[in-house]
Amino acid sequence: MNNKEVVRVLVTIADLLEIKGENMFRVRSYRNAAATIDGLLVSLELIAETDEDRLEDIPGVGKAIHGKIIEILASGSCALLDDLTSELPAGLLDMLGVSGLGAKKVKLFYQSLGIDTVDDLEEAALEGRLRDLPKMGEKSEQKIVKAIERYRRTQKSSKRFRLDSATAIAAEVTEYLSGVEGVETVEVAGSLRRWRESVGDIDILVTGQDGTAVMDAIAAYSEVVEVIGKGDTKTSVLLAVGNTRLQIDVRFVEGASKGAALNYFTGSKEHGVALRGRAKRMGRKLSEYGVFDEETGSQLAGGDEVEVYKALGLPYIEPELRENRGEIEAAEKGELPCLITEADIRGNLHMHTTASDGANTIEEMARAAIVTGYEYIAITDHSKASGIAGGLDEKELLKHINDINVVARKLKDEGEELIILKGTEVDILANGVLDYSDELLSMLDCVVGAVHSGFDMEGERMTARIIAAIESDMLNILAHSTGRLIGAREPYDMDMNAVMDVAAEFGVAMELNSYPQRLDLKDIHCRMAKDKGLLISIATDSHSTGTFSNMTYGVHTARRGWLEKQNILNTRALGELLKILKKDR
Ligand code: DGT
Ligand code: CA
Ligand code: CA
């Protein structure tokens, strides 16, 4: 249960209570709680895991709703919502999904005309039966018809899936298909192979002896809830994922076409179109079966993807670059970037411990870092303004520094080589001032700064706020700098170009946060940072030892942003890193 899902449940409760005609005071308390949680940057789930009582610190959330939140976090719903949904017609919830229709309008249509489905509402609007209701008219009827059309369209265009859940599901399906008799290779293609931040569906390419057996196998896969289409070489199925559906397209080709098919189905579509245009200009034809000489029809390549590019006069282009953003031109000139790999990563400069909102101690995080193979880490707990995240006040920070030293000494005595940097994730307050004094910040090795409040600030003010923080010259790294949560929260309004220019001037690195719901900086911003000569810190922002593995999402996003080893702060050897972090301090 992420915060957004909790918010959704609370808003639904408020809407249904209002439609039912409950006391407005009660309705409002649910709405207020939802709004507050929507603005939080810390994960309620994580707080609940470590210390449930801390949930009571959420400002403006009373005891009754506090109990509901715990219930929602534990079960995904709560008894009150279950009662409301069984009491009221299910179609009212669909009506609330039509944009422009809030609880007030839905209540009006339901109470006065008995309308309780989107279809009924559309009919009533088309027949002019809504216009005589209070505060309604012909114009508002037309608006509702339009909104319902839009609603139907978005219902159809299926939801996009986060990279981590798609990756996990693809791994299971791949393993399953690999076990089918006669199967030789199973490979993920499509946007997932390009490591896009979200994927529409999962594309899988299979080679082997018997295509029919593969098609039968995927249709019979235990997680499948619907077979959309099934042919000799292509089958599409839907899997149930939570309360939504994820499509899997499985294609079977002969080994002799594998490279070309992989190339075709990896996309992107735009990259494929550009490649086929290039082939044509060379008197060749590129299809999912191979590269062919247009005149003689003889096959020049097909089984191997590297050979496919070669037959088009190009070096191999990594999947992450295939977005038709200049990669073909760069390949032509021999100027493709030498992309960063996970093996280049030496450390991790953003993580939390039980001192603030993490689930593990300094020592546990350090030992997990040793297992991961890191040479250095920075412990960066929250500052005091992030009260809900257990942020440290000045006194607590001093003690924390001492605690880090104690762990560092203990590990050193054991012969471990991990270096633990003392850091903070300091809040950038609404006026751009950092949440600790310069004197205190100077005692730290690594100062990560971030915005944790006031996300709805107007663009010019937000830009000025972040620039002021950079100009304090106390920051080393600007963390998750747009605040977006993929599929859940829009980035805040900010002039990225201006912020990066100032960051370059003050030697501040930008973070690429590896949490699959953040991936912030995103690909095009990484590339912008590279062009401006900024360094990027690819960090996991871990709140527990289990999430160091998210580094892979950060690294692949960096690759989508054309980043190379030298563009990344945490590929540097310790000595060089420390020099960069010290600036002139
Ligand atoms: P997604 O699923 O929306 O995240 O994005 P993709 O890139 O995985 O797109 P998808 O699943 O529709 O198709 C997979 C690949 O197949 C796509 O990247 C390129 C190729 N492809 C699909 N449809 C077309 C098409 O109409 N024209 C061309 N040239 N290629 C296509
Ligand atoms: Ca796809
Ligand atoms: Ca597809």
Side-chain angles (χ1 to χ4, degrees):
M1 268 273 124
N2 63 33
N3 291 11
K4 204 74 194 181
E5 289 162 327
V6 175
V7 168
R8 219 168 285 143
V9 174
L10 293 174
V11 169
T12 307
I13 291 175
D15 286 343
L16 294 179
L17 286 173
E18 184 168 353
I19 293 170
K20 223 186 115 190
E22 274 278 343
N23 170 335
M24 274 318 282
F25 179 76
R26 186 164 178 222
V27 171
R28 222 169 287 131
S29 65
Y30 278 93
R31 290 211 198 288
N32 290 343
T36 305
I37 292 169
D38 204 24
L40 294 177
L41 201 70
V42 291
S43 153
L44 290 180
E45 200 173 16
L46 212 84
I47 296 177
E49 251 169 51
T50 44
D51 183 4
E52 221 168 65
D53 292 341
R54 280 231 314 269
L55 289 175
E56 286 184 34
D57 300 342
I58 307 172
V61 175
K63 261 228 148 50
I65 298 187
H66 174 243
K68 300 281 185 302
I69 293 174
I70 292 176
E71 218 183 321
I72 295 166
L73 286 170
S75 72
S77 183
C78 66
L80 173 62
L81 179 63
D82 296 345
D83 289 348
L84 286 167
T85 49
S86 59
E87 236 172 275
L88 294 164
L92 295 177
L93 282 177
D94 299 334
M95 286 165 67
L96 286 165
V98 176
S99 83
L101 288 193
K104 240 187 222 76
K105 283 270 152 63
V106 172
K107 179 183 175 185
L108 175 68
F109 302 146
Y110 176 55
Q111 303 270 358
S112 53
L113 298 174
I115 293 171
D116 60 7
T117 66
V118 173
D119 289 346
D120 284 357
L121 179 65
E122 187 178 34
E123 205 180 293
L126 289 170
E127 291 172 359
R129 284 189 280 124
L130 303 178
R131 63 185 62 163
D132 296 329
L133 293 170
K135 289 193 185 157
M136 292 287 298
E138 271 189 69
K139 270 235 170 68
S140 31
E141 272 177 344
Q142 288 162 7
K143 259 195 198 150
I144 287 176
V145 171
K146 281 251 154 58
I148 291 176
E149 278 168 18
R150 267 200 313 276
Y151 167 81
R152 295 230 166 86
R153 269 201 304 277
T154 50
Q155 288 298 97
K156 246 187 239 155
S157 76
S158 61
K159 167 181 182 296
R160 295 188 69 82
F161 283 77
R162 246 167 55 179
L163 198 47
D164 51 340
S165 49
T167 302
I169 293 165
E172 282 167 20
V173 175
T174 302
E175 194 189 325
Y176 168 74
L177 289 174
S178 303
V180 174
E181 191 148 334
V183 163
E184 281 158 12
T185 64
V186 182
E187 303 219 32
V188 172
S191 52
L192 191 53
R193 185 169 178 235
R194 305 196 312 276
W195 294 84
R196 256 189 83 171
E197 64 190 33
S198 68
V199 305
D201 67 8
I202 294 178
D203 304 280
I204 293 181
L205 188 69
V206 182
T207 67
Q209 309 293 329
D210 184 359
T212 323
V214 175
M215 299 300 115
D216 289 345
I218 189 64
Y221 184 51
S222 60
E223 308 296 314
V224 167
V225 290
E226 191 186 331
V227 178
I228 304 174
K230 182 164 177 273
D232 297 337
T233 58
K234 180 184 168 182
T235 293
S236 293
V237 297
L238 294 181
L239 306 190
V241 180
N243 53 6
T244 53
R245 302 280 181 265
L246 170 62
Q247 182 170 332
I248 315 265
D249 291 342
V250 177
R251 291 182 187 79
F252 179 87
V253 295
E254 306 269 315
S257 294
K258 184 190 156 190
L262 194 54
N263 185 260
Y264 183 90
F265 295 115
T266 296
S268 65
K269 192 174 155 192
E270 292 73 19
H271 177 85
V273 167
L275 279 185
R276 281 188 290 283
R278 179 182 173 85
K280 210 171 169 67
R281 287 193 298 278
M282 293 173 74
R284 297 179 173 177
K285 182 175 176 295
L286 169 66
S287 72
E288 60 263 54
Y289 303 106
V291 183
F292 302 89
D293 187 297
E294 197 121 58
E295 238 165 66
T296 66
S298 68
Q299 182 166 353
L300 306 170
D304 180 79
E305 205 181 20
V306 176
E307 295 298 318
V308 168
Y309 280 103
K310 207 165 160 193
L312 300 175
L314 296 171
Y316 180 70
I317 299 176
E318 299 283 356
E320 293 94 327
L321 298 177
R322 301 182 196 170
E323 298 291 346
N324 199 29
R325 293 177 180 157
E327 71 277 9
I328 295 174
E329 294 75 4
E332 211 166 41
K333 290 190 227 149
E335 289 172 1
L336 281 174
C338 177
L339 298 179
I340 161 101
T341 69
E342 243 182 299
D344 296 325
I345 299 291
R346 291 185 187 233
N348 189 346
L349 300 174
H350 186 168
M351 67 188 66
H352 299 267
T353 71
T354 47
S356 64
D357 61 348
N360 291 101
T361 61
I362 300 167
E363 183 169 343
E364 285 164 350
M365 294 304 275
R367 291 199 187 277
I370 292 168
V371 173
T372 309
Y374 292 145
E375 296 171 27
Y376 49 78
I377 56 172
I379 302 286
T380 53
D381 279 296
H382 288 286
S383 66
K384 60 182 191 292
S386 283
I388 176 75
L392 308 176
D393 65 23
E394 284 77 3
K395 239 172 97 187
E396 289 166 332
L397 178 61
L398 290 172
K399 176 178 179 295
H400 190 48
I401 292 174
N402 191 51
D403 292 344
I404 295 172
N405 282 334
V406 170
V407 173
R409 207 168 314 123
K410 178 171 174 190
L411 292 178
K412 198 168 174 211
D413 289 346
E414 287 177 23
E416 299 291 357
E417 284 172 11
L418 179 79
I419 299 298
I420 310 177
L421 302 178
K422 294 172 284 269
T424 177
E425 180 181 10
V426 64
D427 268 43
I428 298 172
L429 304 177
N431 56 4
V433 171
L434 299 179
D435 194 24
Y436 291 131
S437 68
D438 288 3
E439 195 192 353
L440 202 53
L441 291 172
S442 304
M443 297 172 65
L444 299 167
D445 306 309
C446 182
V447 177
V448 176
V451 167
H452 286 131
S453 60
F455 297 107
D456 47 6
M457 194 175 268
E458 176 268 322
E460 243 166 72
R461 269 185 71 206
M462 184 61 98
T463 305
R465 169 186 185 178
I466 295 173
I467 286 179
I470 295 171
E471 287 177 339
S472 75
D473 210 13
M474 296 309 299
L475 280 194
N476 293 120
I477 299 164
L478 182 63
H480 43 72
S481 55
T482 78
R484 72 155 178 182
L485 295 175
I486 295 170
R489 182 168 66 212
E490 290 299 308
Y492 39 71
D493 198 2
M494 172 189 96
D495 182 346
M496 183 60 89
N497 194 50
V499 166
M500 283 190 176
D501 282 341
V502 183
E505 188 187 331
F506 282 83
V508 170
M510 303 281 281
E511 178 182 87
L512 197 186
N513 190 294
S514 304
Y515 256 101
Q517 55 269 57
R518 289 195 183 275
L519 298 177
D520 175 13
L521 302 176
K522 62 178 176 180
D523 50 10
I524 54 169
H525 287 153
C526 287
R527 201 162 164 193
M528 221 169 121
K530 175 183 183 175
D531 290 342
K532 291 182 187 289
L534 282 163
L535 283 173
I536 301 285
S537 165
I538 309 181
T540 62
D541 190 1
S542 281
H543 288 71
S544 67
T545 53
T547 56
F548 285 157
S549 56
N550 282 338
M551 186 65 84
T552 191
Y553 301 115
V555 167
H556 284 284
T557 300
R559 290 164 64 87
R560 287 180 57 81
W562 294 49
L563 297 187
E564 306 181 79
K565 184 178 174 182
Q566 69 263 24
N567 305 126
I568 312 298
L569 179 60
N570 49 318
T571 60
R572 305 300 168 102
L574 179 71
E576 201 185 334
L577 172 78
L578 290 177
K579 233 189 272 163
I580 295 169
L581 293 179
K582 274 214 177 78
K583 299 213 242 168
D584 292 329
R585 290 205 286 276

